[in-house]
Amino acid sequence: MTSEWLAVFTRIAAMALVMFVGWLARRLRMLGGDTTASLGRFTVDITFPALTLTQMLQLVKAEDVQQSGAVLALGAFILLVSCACGWLAAPLVSSAEHRHTVAFAVAIPNWIFLPLPIAAALCGAVGIRTVLLINIPAQLILWTLGVVILRGGLRGAHSLRALLLNPGLVATAAGILIALLVPSSRAWHSEPSAVGAVIQGLAMLGDLTVPLSLVVIGAQLAELNTERAIPWRELGGVLALRLLVVPLVTVALVELLLARLLTLDPQVRLVGHVIAAMPVAVSCGMFVERFGGDRDLAARAILFSTVACLVTVPVVVWV
């Protein structure tokens, strides 16, 4: 268990350092409130879709989609179980004011940036490939069901149009379609051509997503209203649901139901369980900034759940 704990600790320590930079920049007034909000929107509407599109071009292969259907189904199943738990349990642990933020924080785990080094340490190449494949259905669910949960549903044709045309969903769909229709698109990341220049530029933008997200979260933490009472009920509910209830429910359903329906390698199932046990997604703060919600609660949920997973994730792996 030492290697996986060190993998978790190292990645969290690196994330904490970048968050501290954002916190310090806000305290020194290098970042203002408007700047933080603009950076959050820029991340959600520009860099995250750029990351998504370029990832889809690299990951999606017609032969892999056929051969790896079970892994894709596992990823969709894990995210759907998380979304169901968040949606159903949020009213039990939160007031109406915080309900959508709590539901979203529980529903969307950190499914790629944190579990990737853990999966590599546990399962090698199989672990890396599983995390990257699960990223495909996770992106689709984040930009559709995740946004619906955060916004409290869809109301009218305008809301549906805004959902279908949001940059993240468009980038995900475009990346999958291009990758399937133009198999040579995987070479665009290194190809010396006009198309290659565009894709490489998008990849550079996409690489900004994680550090910008962490900087914005740090700035949000520096902006926390210290005079406002901490919503301990909601925060405790997010931690209990995200780190304990959801992993246990997911493991039980995967082992008792999904594993009987699909042929899943034990290492693949293990990686799936690790993803289910991940803390609140770093993107939660960005999405709350973009689509509405309690920014203070989201920032605290990301911070506290990420620190607490130092204990809970190794325990889940050991179990």
Coordinates of all heavy atoms in Angstrom, one line a residue, residues 240-306:
A240 N -18.5 12.8 3.2 CA -19.0 11.4 3.5 C -19.5 10.7 2.2 O -19.1 9.5 2.0 CB -20.1 11.5 4.5
L241 N -20.2 11.4 1.4 CA -20.8 10.8 0.2 C -19.7 10.6 -0.8 O -19.6 9.5 -1.4 CB -21.9 11.7 -0.4 CG -23.2 11.8 0.5 CD1 -24.0 13.0 0.0 CD2 -23.9 10.5 0.4
R242 N -18.9 11.6 -1.1 CA -17.9 11.5 -2.2 C -16.8 10.5 -1.9 O -16.3 9.7 -2.8 CB -17.3 12.9 -2.4 CG -16.1 13.0 -3.4 CD -16.6 12.8 -4.8 NE -16.3 11.4 -5.2 CZ -17.0 10.7 -6.0 NH1 -18.1 11.2 -6.6 NH2 -16.6 9.5 -6.4
L243 N -16.3 10.4 -0.6 CA -15.2 9.6 -0.3 C -15.5 8.2 0.3 O -14.7 7.3 0.3 CB -14.3 10.3 0.7 CG -13.7 11.6 0.2 CD1 -12.8 12.3 1.2 CD2 -12.8 11.4 -1.1
L244 N -16.8 8.1 0.8 CA -17.1 6.8 1.5 C -18.3 6.1 0.8 O -18.3 5.0 0.4 CB -17.4 7.0 3.0 CG -16.2 7.5 3.8 CD1 -16.6 7.9 5.2 CD2 -15.1 6.5 3.8
V245 N -19.5 6.8 0.8 CA -20.7 6.2 0.3 C -20.6 5.8 -1.1 O -20.9 4.7 -1.5 CB -21.9 7.1 0.6 CG1 -23.2 6.5 0.0 CG2 -22.1 7.4 2.1
V246 N -20.3 6.8 -2.0 CA -20.2 6.5 -3.4 C -19.2 5.4 -3.8 O -19.6 4.5 -4.5 CB -19.9 7.8 -4.2 CG1 -19.6 7.5 -5.7 CG2 -21.0 8.8 -4.1
P247 N -18.0 5.4 -3.2 CA -17.1 4.3 -3.5 C -17.7 2.9 -3.1 O -17.6 2.0 -3.9 CB -15.8 4.6 -2.7 CG -15.8 6.1 -2.6 CD -17.3 6.5 -2.4
L248 N -18.3 2.9 -1.9 CA -18.8 1.6 -1.4 C -20.0 1.1 -2.3 O -20.1 0.0 -2.7 CB -19.3 1.7 0.0 CG -18.2 1.9 1.0 CD1 -18.8 2.1 2.4 CD2 -17.3 0.6 1.1
V249 N -20.9 2.1 -2.7 CA -22.0 1.7 -3.5 C -21.5 1.3 -4.9 O -22.0 0.3 -5.5 CB -23.0 2.9 -3.7 CG1 -24.0 2.6 -4.7 CG2 -23.7 3.2 -2.3
T250 N -20.5 2.0 -5.4 CA -20.0 1.7 -6.8 C -19.3 0.3 -6.8 O -19.6 -0.5 -7.7 CB -19.0 2.8 -7.2 OG1 -19.7 4.0 -7.2 CG2 -18.5 2.5 -8.6
V251 N -18.5 0.1 -5.8 CA -17.8 -1.2 -5.7 C -18.8 -2.4 -5.7 O -18.7 -3.4 -6.4 CB -16.8 -1.3 -4.5 CG1 -16.3 -2.7 -4.3 CG2 -15.7 -0.3 -4.7
A252 N -19.8 -2.2 -4.8 CA -20.8 -3.2 -4.7 C -21.6 -3.5 -6.0 O -21.7 -4.6 -6.4 CB -21.8 -2.8 -3.6
L253 N -22.0 -2.4 -6.6 CA -22.7 -2.6 -7.9 C -21.9 -3.1 -9.0 O -22.3 -4.0 -9.8 CB -23.3 -1.2 -8.3 CG -24.5 -0.7 -7.4 CD1 -24.9 0.7 -7.9 CD2 -25.6 -1.7 -7.5
V254 N -20.6 -2.7 -9.1 CA -19.7 -3.2 -10.1 C -19.5 -4.7 -9.9 O -19.5 -5.5 -10.8 CB -18.4 -2.5 -10.1 CG1 -17.3 -3.2 -11.0 CG2 -18.6 -1.0 -10.7
E255 N -19.1 -5.1 -8.7 CA -18.8 -6.5 -8.4 C -20.0 -7.4 -8.5 O -19.9 -8.6 -8.9 CB -18.2 -6.6 -7.0 CG -16.8 -5.9 -6.9 CD -15.8 -6.4 -7.8 OE1 -15.8 -7.7 -8.1 OE2 -14.9 -5.7 -8.2
L256 N -21.2 -6.9 -8.0 CA -22.3 -7.8 -7.9 C -23.2 -7.8 -9.2 O -23.9 -8.7 -9.5 CB -23.2 -7.4 -6.7 CG -22.6 -7.5 -5.4 CD1 -23.5 -7.0 -4.3 CD2 -22.2 -9.0 -5.1
L257 N -23.1 -6.7 -10.0 CA -23.9 -6.6 -11.1 C -23.1 -6.5 -12.4 O -23.2 -7.3 -13.3 CB -24.8 -5.3 -11.0 CG -25.8 -5.0 -12.1 CD1 -26.8 -6.1 -12.4 CD2 -26.5 -3.7 -11.9
L258 N -22.3 -5.4 -12.6 CA -21.7 -5.1 -13.9 C -20.7 -6.2 -14.2 O -20.6 -6.6 -15.4 CB -21.0 -3.8 -13.8 CG -20.6 -3.2 -15.2 CD1 -21.8 -2.9 -16.0 CD2 -19.7 -2.0 -15.0
A259 N -19.9 -6.7 -13.2 CA -18.9 -7.8 -13.5 C -19.6 -9.1 -14.0 O -18.9 -9.9 -14.6 CB -18.1 -8.0 -12.3
R260 N -20.8 -9.3 -13.7 CA -21.5 -10.4 -14.1 C -22.0 -10.3 -15.6 O -22.3 -11.3 -16.3 CB -22.7 -10.8 -13.2 CG -22.3 -11.1 -11.8 CD -23.5 -11.3 -10.9 NE -23.1 -11.5 -9.5 CZ -22.8 -12.7 -9.0 NH1 -22.9 -13.8 -9.8 NH2 -22.5 -12.8 -7.7
L261 N -22.2 -9.0 -16.0 CA -22.7 -8.8 -17.3 C -21.6 -8.6 -18.3 O -21.8 -8.8 -19.5 CB -23.6 -7.5 -17.3 CG -24.9 -7.6 -16.4 CD1 -25.6 -6.2 -16.4 CD2 -25.8 -8.7 -16.8
L262 N -20.5 -8.1 -17.9 CA -19.4 -7.8 -18.8 C -18.1 -8.5 -18.3 O -17.9 -8.8 -17.1 CB -19.0 -6.3 -18.7 CG -20.2 -5.3 -19.2 CD1 -19.7 -3.9 -18.9 CD2 -20.5 -5.5 -20.6
T263 N -17.2 -8.8 -19.3 CA -16.0 -9.4 -18.9 C -15.0 -8.3 -18.6 O -14.5 -7.6 -19.5 CB -15.4 -10.3 -20.1 OG1 -16.4 -11.2 -20.5 CG2 -14.1 -10.9 -19.8
L264 N -14.7 -8.2 -17.3 CA -13.8 -7.1 -16.9 C -12.6 -7.7 -16.2 O -12.7 -8.4 -15.3 CB -14.5 -6.1 -15.9 CG -15.6 -5.3 -16.5 CD1 -16.5 -4.6 -15.4 CD2 -15.0 -4.2 -17.4
D265 N -11.4 -7.3 -16.7 CA -10.2 -7.7 -16.1 C -10.1 -7.2 -14.6 O -10.6 -6.1 -14.3 CB -9.0 -7.1 -16.9 CG -7.7 -7.6 -16.3 OD1 -7.2 -6.9 -15.4 OD2 -7.1 -8.5 -16.8
P266 N -9.6 -8.0 -13.7 CA -9.5 -7.5 -12.3 C -8.8 -6.2 -12.1 O -9.2 -5.3 -11.3 CB -8.8 -8.7 -11.6 CG -9.1 -9.9 -12.4 CD -9.2 -9.4 -13.8
Q267 N -7.7 -6.0 -12.9 CA -7.0 -4.7 -12.8 C -7.8 -3.6 -13.3 O -7.8 -2.5 -12.7 CB -5.7 -4.8 -13.6 CG -4.6 -5.7 -13.0 CD -3.3 -5.6 -13.7 OE1 -3.3 -5.6 -15.0 NE2 -2.2 -5.5 -13.0
V268 N -8.6 -3.8 -14.3 CA -9.5 -2.7 -14.8 C -10.6 -2.4 -13.8 O -10.9 -1.2 -13.5 CB -10.2 -3.2 -16.1 CG1 -11.3 -2.2 -16.5 CG2 -9.2 -3.3 -17.3
R269 N -11.1 -3.4 -13.1 CA -12.1 -3.1 -12.0 C -11.4 -2.4 -10.9 O -12.0 -1.5 -10.3 CB -12.7 -4.5 -11.5 CG -13.5 -5.2 -12.5 CD -14.5 -6.1 -11.9 NE -14.0 -7.0 -10.8 CZ -13.5 -8.2 -11.0 NH1 -13.4 -8.7 -12.3 NH2 -13.1 -8.9 -10.0
L270 N -10.2 -2.7 -10.6 CA -9.5 -2.0 -9.5 C -9.3 -0.5 -9.8 O -9.6 0.3 -9.0 CB -8.1 -2.6 -9.3 CG -7.2 -1.9 -8.3 CD1 -7.9 -1.8 -6.9 CD2 -5.9 -2.6 -8.2
V271 N -8.9 -0.2 -11.1 CA -8.8 1.2 -11.5 C -10.1 1.9 -11.4 O -10.2 3.0 -11.0 CB -8.2 1.3 -12.9 CG1 -8.2 2.7 -13.4 CG2 -6.8 0.7 -12.9
G272 N -11.2 1.2 -11.8 CA -12.5 1.8 -11.7 C -12.9 2.1 -10.3 O -13.5 3.2 -10.0
H273 N -12.5 1.2 -9.3 CA -12.8 1.5 -7.9 C -12.0 2.7 -7.4 O -12.5 3.5 -6.6 CB -12.5 0.2 -7.1 CG -13.4 -1.0 -7.5 ND1 -14.6 -0.9 -8.1 CD2 -13.1 -2.3 -7.4 CE1 -15.1 -2.1 -8.3 NE2 -14.2 -3.0 -7.9
V274 N -10.8 2.8 -7.9 CA -10.0 3.9 -7.5 C -10.6 5.2 -7.9 O -10.7 6.2 -7.2 CB -8.5 3.8 -8.0 CG1 -7.7 5.1 -7.9 CG2 -7.8 2.7 -7.3
I275 N -11.1 5.3 -9.2 CA -11.7 6.5 -9.7 C -13.0 6.8 -8.9 O -13.2 8.0 -8.6 CB -12.0 6.3 -11.2 CG1 -10.7 6.3 -12.0 CG2 -12.9 7.4 -11.7 CD1 -10.9 6.0 -13.5
A276 N -13.7 5.8 -8.6 CA -14.9 6.0 -7.8 C -14.6 6.6 -6.4 O -15.4 7.3 -5.8 CB -15.7 4.7 -7.6
A277 N -13.4 6.4 -5.9 CA -13.0 6.8 -4.6 C -12.3 8.2 -4.6 O -11.9 8.7 -3.5 CB -12.1 5.8 -3.9
M278 N -12.2 8.8 -5.8 CA -11.5 10.1 -5.9 C -12.2 11.2 -5.2 O -13.4 11.2 -5.1 CB -11.3 10.4 -7.4 CG -10.2 9.6 -8.0 SD -8.5 9.9 -7.4 CE -8.2 8.5 -6.4
P279 N -11.5 12.3 -4.9 CA -12.1 13.5 -4.2 C -12.9 14.3 -5.3 O -13.0 13.9 -6.4 CB -10.9 14.2 -3.7 CG -9.8 13.9 -4.6 CD -10.0 12.4 -4.9
V280 N -13.5 15.4 -4.8 CA -14.2 16.3 -5.7 C -13.3 16.7 -6.8 O -12.2 17.1 -6.6 CB -14.8 17.5 -4.9 CG1 -15.5 18.5 -5.8 CG2 -15.7 17.0 -3.8
A281 N -13.9 16.8 -8.0 CA -13.1 17.2 -9.2 C -12.6 18.6 -9.1 O -13.3 19.5 -8.6 CB -13.9 17.0 -10.5
V282 N -11.4 18.8 -9.5 CA -10.8 20.2 -9.5 C -11.7 21.1 -10.4 O -11.8 22.3 -10.1 CB -9.3 20.1 -10.1 CG1 -8.8 21.5 -10.3 CG2 -8.4 19.4 -9.1
S283 N -12.3 20.6 -11.4 CA -13.1 21.4 -12.3 C -14.4 21.8 -11.6 O -15.1 22.7 -12.2 CB -13.5 20.6 -13.6 OG -14.1 19.4 -13.2
C284 N -14.7 21.3 -10.4 CA -16.0 21.7 -9.8 C -16.0 23.2 -9.5 O -17.0 23.9 -9.8 CB -16.1 21.0 -8.4 SG -17.6 21.4 -7.5
G285 N -14.9 23.8 -9.1 CA -14.9 25.2 -8.8 C -15.1 26.0 -10.1 O -15.8 27.0 -10.1
M286 N -14.5 25.5 -11.2 CA -14.7 26.2 -12.5 C -16.1 26.2 -12.9 O -16.7 27.2 -13.4 CB -13.8 25.6 -13.6 CG -12.3 25.4 -13.2 SD -11.5 27.0 -12.9 CE -11.6 27.0 -11.2
F287 N -16.8 25.0 -12.8 CA -18.1 24.9 -13.3 C -19.1 25.7 -12.4 O -20.1 26.3 -12.9 CB -18.5 23.4 -13.3 CG -18.1 22.7 -14.6 CD1 -16.7 22.5 -14.8 CD2 -19.0 22.3 -15.5 CE1 -16.3 21.9 -16.0 CE2 -18.6 21.7 -16.7 CZ -17.3 21.5 -16.9
V288 N -18.9 25.7 -11.1 CA -19.7 26.6 -10.2 C -19.5 28.0 -10.6 O -20.5 28.8 -10.6 CB -19.3 26.3 -8.8 CG1 -20.0 27.4 -7.9 CG2 -19.8 24.9 -8.3
E289 N -18.3 28.4 -10.9 CA -18.1 29.8 -11.3 C -18.8 30.1 -12.6 O -19.3 31.2 -12.8 CB -16.5 30.0 -11.5 CG -16.1 31.4 -11.8 CD -16.0 32.3 -10.5 OE1 -15.1 31.9 -9.7 OE2 -16.7 33.2 -10.4
R290 N -18.9 29.1 -13.5 CA -19.4 29.3 -14.8 C -20.9 29.2 -14.9 O -21.6 30.0 -15.5 CB -18.8 28.3 -15.8 CG -19.4 28.3 -17.2 CD -19.0 29.6 -17.9 NE -19.5 29.6 -19.3 CZ -20.7 30.0 -19.7 NH1 -21.6 30.4 -18.7 NH2 -21.1 30.0 -20.9
F291 N -21.5 28.2 -14.2 CA -22.9 27.9 -14.3 C -23.7 28.2 -13.1 O -24.9 28.0 -13.0 CB -23.1 26.4 -14.7 CG -22.5 26.0 -16.0 CD1 -21.3 25.2 -16.0 CD2 -23.1 26.4 -17.2 CE1 -20.8 24.9 -17.3 CE2 -22.5 26.0 -18.4 CZ -21.4 25.3 -18.5
G292 N -23.1 28.7 -12.0 CA -23.8 29.1 -10.8 C -23.7 28.1 -9.7 O -23.4 26.9 -10.0
G293 N -23.8 28.5 -8.5 CA -23.7 27.7 -7.3 C -22.9 28.4 -6.2 O -22.6 29.6 -6.3
D294 N -22.7 27.6 -5.1 CA -22.0 28.2 -4.0 C -20.5 28.1 -4.2 O -19.9 27.0 -4.0 CB -22.4 27.5 -2.7 CG -21.9 28.2 -1.4 OD1 -20.8 28.7 -1.4 OD2 -22.7 28.3 -0.5
R295 N -19.8 29.2 -4.5 CA -18.4 29.1 -4.8 C -17.6 28.8 -3.6 O -16.6 28.0 -3.6 CB -17.9 30.5 -5.4 CG -16.8 30.4 -6.3 CD -16.5 31.7 -6.9 NE -16.2 32.7 -5.9 CZ -15.6 33.9 -6.2 NH1 -15.3 34.2 -7.5 NH2 -15.3 34.8 -5.3
D296 N -17.9 29.3 -2.4 CA -17.2 29.0 -1.2 C -17.3 27.5 -0.8 O -16.3 26.9 -0.5 CB -17.8 29.8 0.0 CG -17.4 31.3 -0.1 OD1 -16.7 31.7 -1.1 OD2 -17.6 32.0 0.9
L297 N -18.5 27.0 -0.9 CA -18.6 25.6 -0.6 C -17.9 24.7 -1.6 O -17.2 23.7 -1.2 CB -20.1 25.2 -0.6 CG -20.5 23.7 -0.4 CD1 -20.0 23.2 0.9 CD2 -22.0 23.5 -0.5
A298 N -17.9 25.0 -2.8 CA -17.2 24.2 -3.8 C -15.7 24.3 -3.6 O -15.0 23.2 -3.6 CB -17.5 24.8 -5.2
A299 N -15.1 25.4 -3.3 CA -13.7 25.5 -3.0 C -13.3 24.7 -1.8 O -12.3 24.0 -1.8 CB -13.3 27.0 -2.8
R300 N -14.1 24.8 -0.7 CA -13.8 24.1 0.5 C -13.9 22.6 0.3 O -13.1 21.8 0.8 CB -14.8 24.5 1.6 CG -14.4 25.9 2.2 CD -15.3 26.1 3.5 NE -14.8 27.3 4.2 CZ -15.4 28.5 4.2 NH1 -16.5 28.6 3.4 NH2 -15.0 29.5 4.9
A301 N -14.9 22.2 -0.5 CA -15.1 20.7 -0.8 C -14.0 20.2 -1.6 O -13.5 19.0 -1.3 CB -16.4 20.5 -1.6
I302 N -13.4 20.9 -2.5 CA -12.3 20.4 -3.3 C -11.1 20.3 -2.3 O -10.4 19.3 -2.3 CB -11.9 21.4 -4.4 CG1 -13.0 21.4 -5.5 CG2 -10.6 21.0 -5.1 CD1 -12.9 22.6 -6.4
L303 N -10.8 21.3 -1.5 CA -9.6 21.3 -0.6 C -9.7 20.2 0.4 O -8.8 19.3 0.5 CB -9.5 22.6 0.1 CG -8.4 22.8 1.1 CD1 -7.0 22.6 0.5 CD2 -8.5 24.1 1.9
F304 N -10.9 20.1 1.1 CA -11.0 19.1 2.2 C -11.0 17.7 1.7 O -10.4 16.8 2.3 CB -12.3 19.4 3.0 CG -12.1 20.5 4.0 CD1 -12.1 21.9 3.7 CD2 -11.9 20.2 5.4 CE1 -12.0 22.9 4.6 CE2 -11.7 21.3 6.3 CZ -11.8 22.6 5.9
S305 N -11.7 17.5 0.6 CA -11.8 16.1 0.1 C -10.5 15.6 -0.5 O -10.2 14.5 -0.4 CB -12.9 16.0 -1.0 OG -12.6 16.8 -2.2
T306 N -9.7 16.6 -1.1 CA -8.4 16.2 -1.7 C -7.5 15.8 -0.6 O -6.7 14.8 -0.7 CB -7.9 17.3 -2.5 OG1 -8.8 17.7 -3.6 CG2 -6.5 16.9 -3.1

